[in-house]
Amino acid sequence: MFTDVMYTDGVSNLDIQRRIEDALAENRTLAICYKDSEGHSSERRVDPQLLGYTFDTWYLIAYCHMRQAIRWFRLDRITSAHLTSQISLDRPVAQIGTPPETACPVWQ
């Protein structure tokens, strides 16, 4: 897969990285524990859509079942990730929105 190319900094747990990659490859919902910028943790079910990189930070862009909307989750704030048996749904690109100007392609 593309683990060797990505995640060179910011994410310390290879198991979490692999589970995110597996969820993307297998179209499966992830159960994650996410710590926000204030240190508060929440458990969420998300449908991974893609990975993004901007401002020297990797993000999982995913549909959040709790918020019922697309959210950008910093990978270095995902403290656990587990594949579920639920099939994730692909969302229209229009729901994801336009990438920020600082975003760059993963493969250049």
Side-chain angles (χ1 to χ4, degrees), residues 34 52-54 59-62 70-74 96 98-100 103:
Y34 187 74
Y53 184 75
T54 186
Y59 292 86
L60 169 63
I61 295 97
I70 294 288
R71 293 289 189 258
W72 288 51
F73 297 95
R74 282 181 58 142
I96 295 169
T98 304

Side-chain angles (χ1 to χ4, degrees), residues 5-12 17 53 55-58 75-76:
V5 177
M6 302 172 68
Y7 314 119
T8 55
D9 55 76
V11 177
S12 59
Q17 295 170 26
Y53 184 75
F55 290 112
D56 295 324
T57 304
W58 282 102
L75 292 190
D76 59 353

Side-chain angles (χ1 to χ4, degrees), residues 32-102:
I32 64 170
C33 186
Y34 187 74
K35 191 176 285 190
D36 68 17
S37 61
E38 296 177 1
H40 301 109
S41 293
S42 61
E43 293 181 8
R44 304 185 185 214
R45 293 218 174 212
V46 299
D47 292 342
Q49 301 300 302
L50 55 98
L51 294 168
Y53 184 75
T54 186
F55 290 112
D56 295 324
T57 304
W58 282 102
Y59 292 86
L60 169 63
I61 295 97
Y63 179 83
C64 176
H65 292 236
M66 182 172 77
R67 300 286 185 217
Q68 296 185 355
I70 294 288
R71 293 289 189 258
W72 288 51
F73 297 95
R74 282 181 58 142
L75 292 190
D76 59 353
R77 292 187 186 157
I78 297 174
T79 58
S80 68
H82 303 281
L83 287 153
T84 71
S85 59
Q86 185 177 354
I87 300 298
S88 68
L89 300 175
D90 287 333
R91 305 293 167 168
V93 174
Q95 284 186 7
I96 295 169
T98 304
E101 291 180 19
T102 57

